[in-house]
Amino acid sequence: MLTNLHPSHGWIDVPVDPRDRESTPPTPAFARESRWRQIDRTAEAAIDGIAISRWEDSRTASSHEATTPRDCYFIGIALKTTRAKLTRDREIIFDGVMPAGTLYVSAPSRSVGVQFQSPCAFLHFHIPTDHFPGELAATEGLNDLVLLRDPLAAELAKALIERGRAADHQFMRCLGQTLAMHLARLEPPRTRVNALPKWRLRRVEQYIADHFDRCISLSELANVAGLSKMHFAAQFRAATGYRPREYLLNHRTERAKTLLATTGRPLAEIALAVGFSTQAHFSTVFKRVSGQSPARWRAACKSDRVETEVPSRRRPAPEMGWTSAAA
């Protein structure tokens, strides 16, 4: 096999002997949890003491409880947006929307309960305490720490999911160590902003859903919530992980996806229908939120639908690529 460089992914394919492929079949990079945060730490998913697993639940409501082992920190990274309520000793730690990329940390020997109020998907890391500075043990800085939409954590999770079965032990160990260093260098928040109460949040969400197709100002949303602009913006972000304008743009993007997938309307027409003044602005925001231009997203959506409606008659190949493994 010739060596190939892949600039877009940043790795190199090295020559592989076919006999090696047969003798060492690829194994999943992370274990699938049968119960929330419950994994076999003696499995191959534990590398250098770092255990990585994936939790998914399609139910709209579920409750769980777990205690972090005494010799490690627990880190959860949300792979999709969900609603959750975290509690410890009857104290509410977090209650609201967890956007994709949310990072949650629990210290050794600490128990926590969770109530998920929508489907969820998480990557879970158990990282030994010796990967963190010793002084952290004497502080509360990394206990019950919730960081909404942590960019580095989101990128690390994405890298692991994309590699799937192609992720080797060294790659996984590197990700775990990078995550530990990232957390050790964080400055814990000194003040905690109360999240927008649920009844106020529902009023604002409904107002956005009813008027997303026109210009909505911050003052307008603050009036709907019955708060000043400053207090509303801070509490809304604490509850959702988004600034009000970010939330509005994401809502418009999701509505645009529905129109792209179910209609053949031109992009300019869809842009106006969901509240953007120009197609250029629509395309810029859509690509930033979804990672693809509207046209590419629509084409990919149609391709996926065709594959679902007309399954291949050929038997699937015994070896799956990393895209299948990560699904």
Side-chain angles (χ1 to χ4, degrees), residues 28-316:
F30 38 80
R32 297 276 182 162
E33 299 176 13
S34 56
R35 296 177 56 195
W36 186 63
R37 291 178 53 176
Q38 302 299 312
I39 60 172
D40 179 8
R41 300 188 67 204
T42 64
E44 285 192 33
I47 298 96
D48 195 24
I50 299 174
I52 305 175
S53 57
R54 180 167 178 168
W55 167 256
E56 292 182 87
D57 196 334
S58 59
R59 293 177 292 176
T60 56
S62 62
S63 299
H64 314 275
E65 189 171 351
T67 299
T68 306
R70 60 183 177 82
D71 60 346
C72 67
Y73 282 87
F74 167 80
I75 298 99
I77 303 176
L79 300 177
K80 63 189 296 184
T81 299
T82 186
R83 287 183 178 268
K85 180 179 181 180
L86 297 173
T87 57
R88 177 163 60 88
D89 299 330
R90 297 184 179 180
E91 176 187 356
I92 297 177
I93 301 166
F94 176 85
D95 187 3
V97 176
M98 282 188 171
T102 295
L103 183 146
Y104 167 68
V105 187
S106 180
S109 303
R110 297 302 182 105
S111 62
V112 67
V114 64
Q115 295 177 15
F116 290 114
Q117 298 154 10
S118 63
C120 61
F122 284 82
L123 270 187
H124 290 162
F125 293 74
H126 284 86
I127 303 179
T129 53
D130 58 14
H131 285 70
F132 296 84
E135 57 268 20
L136 284 179
T139 72
E140 285 286 315
L142 290 185
N143 184 50
D144 296 334
L145 175 64
V146 178
L147 299 175
L148 299 175
R149 299 172 65 229
D150 183 81
L152 179 58
E155 288 301 316
L156 292 176
K158 180 181 178 182
L160 185 55
I161 293 296
E162 287 182 345
R163 283 293 184 94
R165 294 179 183 270
D168 57 22
H169 287 190
Q170 182 177 359
F171 180 76
M172 294 170 63
R173 180 170 59 248
C174 180
L175 286 187
Q177 293 172 339
T178 301
L179 186 57
M181 288 189 292
H182 171 58
L183 291 171
R185 294 177 179 179
L186 287 175
E187 182 178 351
R190 296 177 183 177
T191 59
R192 178 175 293 182
V193 176
N194 292 327
L196 192 67
K198 288 185 176 181
W199 67 272
R200 294 183 190 269
L201 179 60
R202 282 195 293 267
R203 285 176 59 179
V204 173
E205 289 178 329
Q206 187 60 53
Y207 189 85
I208 291 175
D210 292 340
H211 303 91
F212 69 92
D213 56 346
R214 66 169 178 79
C215 180
I216 303 177
S217 68
L218 178 61
S219 297
E220 197 172 343
L221 294 178
N223 288 335
V224 172
L227 297 170
S228 68
K229 290 193 296 183
M230 181 181 69
H231 285 91
F232 165 70
Q235 292 184 27
F236 185 86
R237 188 174 186 182
T240 66
Y242 294 93
R243 295 182 178 88
R245 178 161 177 77
E246 290 177 333
Y247 183 93
L248 173 60
L249 293 177
N250 276 270
H251 186 88
R252 288 173 173 171
T253 300
E254 291 304 313
R255 294 302 294 263
K257 286 181 178 179
T258 299
L259 294 177
L260 288 169
T262 59
T263 74
R265 296 167 67 177
L267 297 184
E269 186 178 321
I270 291 177
L272 295 175
V274 298
F276 291 97
S277 57
T278 66
Q279 181 180 337
H281 186 211
F282 166 57
S283 297
T284 299
V285 172
F286 190 97
K287 187 172 183 179
R288 185 174 70 235
V289 172
S290 66
Q292 292 179 303
S293 68
R296 285 185 176 274
W297 191 93
R298 170 180 265 174
C301 183
K302 288 183 178 179
S303 176
D304 291 342
R305 189 162 59 242
V306 169
E307 290 181 2
T308 302
E309 295 174 352
V310 187
S312 174
R313 296 182 179 180
R314 294 184 296 108
R315 295 184 61 183

